[in-house]
mmCIF file of all heavy atoms in Angstrom:
data_model
loop_
_atom_site.group_PDB
_atom_site.id
_atom_site.type_symbol
_atom_site.label_atom_id
_atom_site.label_comp_id
_atom_site.label_asym_id
_atom_site.label_seq_id
_atom_site.Cartn_x
_atom_site.Cartn_y
_atom_site.Cartn_z
ATOM 1 N N GLY A 34 13.807 -20.663 2.922
ATOM 2 C CA GLY A 34 15.200 -20.945 2.692
ATOM 3 C C GLY A 34 16.135 -19.995 3.429
ATOM 4 O O GLY A 34 15.771 -18.797 3.559
ATOM 5 N N HIS A 35 17.278 -20.452 3.900
ATOM 6 C CA HIS A 35 18.265 -19.612 4.501
ATOM 7 C C HIS A 35 17.682 -18.777 5.640
ATOM 8 O O HIS A 35 17.939 -17.561 5.708
ATOM 9 C CB HIS A 35 19.023 -18.780 3.470
ATOM 10 C CG HIS A 35 19.588 -19.626 2.344
ATOM 11 N ND1 HIS A 35 20.704 -20.334 2.518
ATOM 12 C CD2 HIS A 35 19.101 -19.906 1.122
ATOM 13 C CE1 HIS A 35 20.918 -21.052 1.382
ATOM 14 N NE2 HIS A 35 19.965 -20.784 0.571
ATOM 15 N N GLY A 36 16.910 -19.376 6.475
ATOM 16 C CA GLY A 36 16.368 -18.716 7.629
ATOM 17 C C GLY A 36 15.108 -17.850 7.394
ATOM 18 O O GLY A 36 14.572 -17.201 8.266
ATOM 19 N N LEU A 37 14.620 -17.830 6.124
ATOM 20 C CA LEU A 37 13.450 -17.031 5.816
ATOM 21 C C LEU A 37 12.231 -17.887 5.672
ATOM 22 O O LEU A 37 12.281 -19.031 5.178
ATOM 23 C CB LEU A 37 13.658 -16.275 4.474
ATOM 24 C CG LEU A 37 14.660 -15.164 4.437
ATOM 25 C CD1 LEU A 37 14.810 -14.614 3.042
ATOM 26 C CD2 LEU A 37 14.317 -14.052 5.418
ATOM 27 N N HIS A 38 11.099 -17.334 5.996
ATOM 28 C CA HIS A 38 9.781 -17.928 5.727
ATOM 29 C C HIS A 38 8.886 -16.757 5.439
ATOM 30 O O HIS A 38 8.459 -16.042 6.353
ATOM 31 C CB HIS A 38 9.233 -18.796 6.809
ATOM 32 C CG HIS A 38 7.974 -19.488 6.399
ATOM 33 N ND1 HIS A 38 7.983 -20.730 5.789
ATOM 34 C CD2 HIS A 38 6.685 -19.090 6.444
ATOM 35 C CE1 HIS A 38 6.755 -21.068 5.497
ATOM 36 N NE2 HIS A 38 5.926 -20.102 5.903
ATOM 37 N N ILE A 39 8.565 -16.530 4.153
ATOM 38 C CA ILE A 39 7.763 -15.332 3.761
ATOM 39 C C ILE A 39 6.484 -15.863 3.099
ATOM 40 O O ILE A 39 6.567 -16.580 2.110
ATOM 41 C CB ILE A 39 8.546 -14.503 2.772
ATOM 42 C CG1 ILE A 39 9.843 -14.001 3.383
ATOM 43 C CG2 ILE A 39 7.708 -13.325 2.318
ATOM 44 C CD1 ILE A 39 10.816 -13.374 2.440
ATOM 45 N N TRP A 40 5.337 -15.453 3.640
ATOM 46 C CA TRP A 40 4.049 -15.764 3.005
ATOM 47 C C TRP A 40 3.805 -14.740 1.891
ATOM 48 O O TRP A 40 4.033 -13.560 2.101
ATOM 49 C CB TRP A 40 2.910 -15.748 4.008
ATOM 50 C CG TRP A 40 2.922 -16.948 4.885
ATOM 51 C CD1 TRP A 40 3.354 -17.049 6.153
ATOM 52 C CD2 TRP A 40 2.457 -18.259 4.513
ATOM 53 N NE1 TRP A 40 3.193 -18.324 6.643
ATOM 54 C CE2 TRP A 40 2.650 -19.087 5.656
ATOM 55 C CE3 TRP A 40 1.942 -18.816 3.360
ATOM 56 C CZ2 TRP A 40 2.278 -20.424 5.608
ATOM 57 C CZ3 TRP A 40 1.592 -20.132 3.340
ATOM 58 C CH2 TRP A 40 1.783 -20.978 4.481
ATOM 59 N N ILE A 41 3.304 -15.226 0.784
ATOM 60 C CA ILE A 41 2.948 -14.359 -0.354
ATOM 61 C C ILE A 41 1.435 -14.537 -0.481
ATOM 62 O O ILE A 41 0.969 -15.491 -1.112
ATOM 63 C CB ILE A 41 3.705 -14.794 -1.600
ATOM 64 C CG1 ILE A 41 5.201 -14.859 -1.341
ATOM 65 C CG2 ILE A 41 3.369 -13.879 -2.772
ATOM 66 C CD1 ILE A 41 5.967 -15.715 -2.331
ATOM 67 N N LYS A 42 0.719 -13.568 0.047
ATOM 68 C CA LYS A 42 -0.723 -13.661 0.101
ATOM 69 C C LYS A 42 -1.420 -12.495 -0.559
ATOM 70 O O LYS A 42 -0.852 -11.401 -0.590
ATOM 71 C CB LYS A 42 -1.233 -13.774 1.543
ATOM 72 C CG LYS A 42 -0.812 -15.044 2.226
ATOM 73 C CD LYS A 42 -1.501 -15.209 3.556
ATOM 74 C CE LYS A 42 -1.258 -16.596 4.071
ATOM 75 N NZ LYS A 42 -2.194 -16.936 5.138
ATOM 76 N N PRO A 43 -2.608 -12.712 -1.071
ATOM 77 C CA PRO A 43 -3.362 -11.593 -1.606
ATOM 78 C C PRO A 43 -3.902 -10.711 -0.487
ATOM 79 O O PRO A 43 -3.912 -11.155 0.713
ATOM 80 C CB PRO A 43 -4.508 -12.231 -2.382
ATOM 81 C CG PRO A 43 -4.716 -13.525 -1.720
ATOM 82 C CD PRO A 43 -3.364 -13.958 -1.195
ATOM 83 N N GLY A 44 -4.330 -9.561 -0.790
ATOM 84 C CA GLY A 44 -4.914 -8.646 0.228
ATOM 85 C C GLY A 44 -5.057 -7.252 -0.383
ATOM 86 O O GLY A 44 -6.032 -6.966 -1.064
ATOM 87 N N SER A 45 -4.058 -6.454 -0.155
ATOM 88 C CA SER A 45 -4.073 -5.101 -0.717
ATOM 89 C C SER A 45 -3.698 -5.178 -2.191
ATOM 90 O O SER A 45 -3.297 -6.189 -2.687
ATOM 91 C CB SER A 45 -3.097 -4.198 0.052
ATOM 92 O OG SER A 45 -1.742 -4.645 -0.283
ATOM 93 N N ALA A 46 -3.848 -4.040 -2.846
ATOM 94 C CA ALA A 46 -3.496 -3.963 -4.312
ATOM 95 C C ALA A 46 -2.043 -4.304 -4.487
ATOM 96 O O ALA A 46 -1.660 -5.012 -5.408
ATOM 97 C CB ALA A 46 -3.826 -2.592 -4.842
ATOM 98 N N ARG A 47 -1.164 -3.873 -3.575
ATOM 99 C CA ARG A 47 0.269 -4.120 -3.655
ATOM 100 C C ARG A 47 0.555 -5.604 -3.469
ATOM 101 O O ARG A 47 1.345 -6.215 -4.210
ATOM 102 C CB ARG A 47 1.040 -3.309 -2.599
ATOM 103 C CG ARG A 47 2.542 -3.547 -2.682
ATOM 104 C CD ARG A 47 3.288 -2.690 -1.715
ATOM 105 N NE ARG A 47 3.207 -1.328 -2.210
ATOM 106 C CZ ARG A 47 3.617 -0.234 -1.497
ATOM 107 N NH1 ARG A 47 4.093 -0.439 -0.285
ATOM 108 N NH2 ARG A 47 3.549 0.928 -2.006
ATOM 109 N N GLN A 48 -0.110 -6.234 -2.481
ATOM 110 C CA GLN A 48 0.117 -7.671 -2.266
ATOM 111 C C GLN A 48 -0.418 -8.481 -3.453
ATOM 112 O O GLN A 48 0.243 -9.430 -3.868
ATOM 113 C CB GLN A 48 -0.657 -8.133 -0.982
ATOM 114 C CG GLN A 48 -0.027 -7.612 0.288
ATOM 115 C CD GLN A 48 -0.891 -7.847 1.491
ATOM 116 O OE1 GLN A 48 -2.113 -7.581 1.486
ATOM 117 N NE2 GLN A 48 -0.279 -8.396 2.521
ATOM 118 N N ASP A 49 -1.559 -8.116 -3.992
ATOM 119 C CA ASP A 49 -2.075 -8.792 -5.172
ATOM 120 C C ASP A 49 -1.148 -8.706 -6.372
ATOM 121 O O ASP A 49 -0.886 -9.675 -7.081
ATOM 122 C CB ASP A 49 -3.444 -8.231 -5.563
ATOM 123 C CG ASP A 49 -4.536 -8.531 -4.561
ATOM 124 O OD1 ASP A 49 -4.315 -9.373 -3.678
ATOM 125 O OD2 ASP A 49 -5.620 -7.963 -4.720
ATOM 126 N N ALA A 50 -0.561 -7.508 -6.542
ATOM 127 C CA ALA A 50 0.351 -7.315 -7.677
ATOM 128 C C ALA A 50 1.599 -8.182 -7.491
ATOM 129 O O ALA A 50 2.098 -8.753 -8.465
ATOM 130 C CB ALA A 50 0.743 -5.836 -7.763
ATOM 131 N N ARG A 51 2.148 -8.239 -6.250
ATOM 132 C CA ARG A 51 3.344 -9.050 -6.011
ATOM 133 C C ARG A 51 3.041 -10.530 -6.265
ATOM 134 O O ARG A 51 3.864 -11.259 -6.870
ATOM 135 C CB ARG A 51 3.822 -8.824 -4.628
ATOM 136 C CG ARG A 51 4.460 -7.467 -4.439
ATOM 137 C CD ARG A 51 4.905 -7.224 -3.036
ATOM 138 N NE ARG A 51 5.529 -5.924 -2.940
ATOM 139 C CZ ARG A 51 5.734 -5.303 -1.773
ATOM 140 N NH1 ARG A 51 5.355 -5.855 -0.634
ATOM 141 N NH2 ARG A 51 6.267 -4.110 -1.758
ATOM 142 N N LEU A 52 1.898 -11.015 -5.789
ATOM 143 C CA LEU A 52 1.505 -12.416 -5.985
ATOM 144 C C LEU A 52 1.409 -12.719 -7.484
ATOM 145 O O LEU A 52 1.967 -13.712 -7.969
ATOM 146 C CB LEU A 52 0.187 -12.705 -5.266
ATOM 147 C CG LEU A 52 -0.387 -14.078 -5.491
ATOM 148 C CD1 LEU A 52 0.457 -15.139 -4.861
ATOM 149 C CD2 LEU A 52 -1.826 -14.129 -4.906
ATOM 150 N N ASN A 53 0.712 -11.877 -8.204
ATOM 151 C CA ASN A 53 0.544 -12.118 -9.654
ATOM 152 C C ASN A 53 1.844 -11.965 -10.415
ATOM 153 O O ASN A 53 2.107 -12.705 -11.362
ATOM 154 C CB ASN A 53 -0.515 -11.135 -10.198
ATOM 155 C CG ASN A 53 -1.892 -11.467 -9.738
ATOM 156 O OD1 ASN A 53 -2.204 -12.671 -9.498
ATOM 157 N ND2 ASN A 53 -2.742 -10.481 -9.590
#
Side-chain angles (χ1 to χ4, degrees):
H35 305 282
L37 290 177
H38 186 89
I39 301 169
W40 283 103
I41 306 160
K42 293 190 170 197
S45 68
R47 180 177 289 170
Q48 289 171 312
D49 291 350
R51 288 177 179 163
L52 175 67
N53 290 329

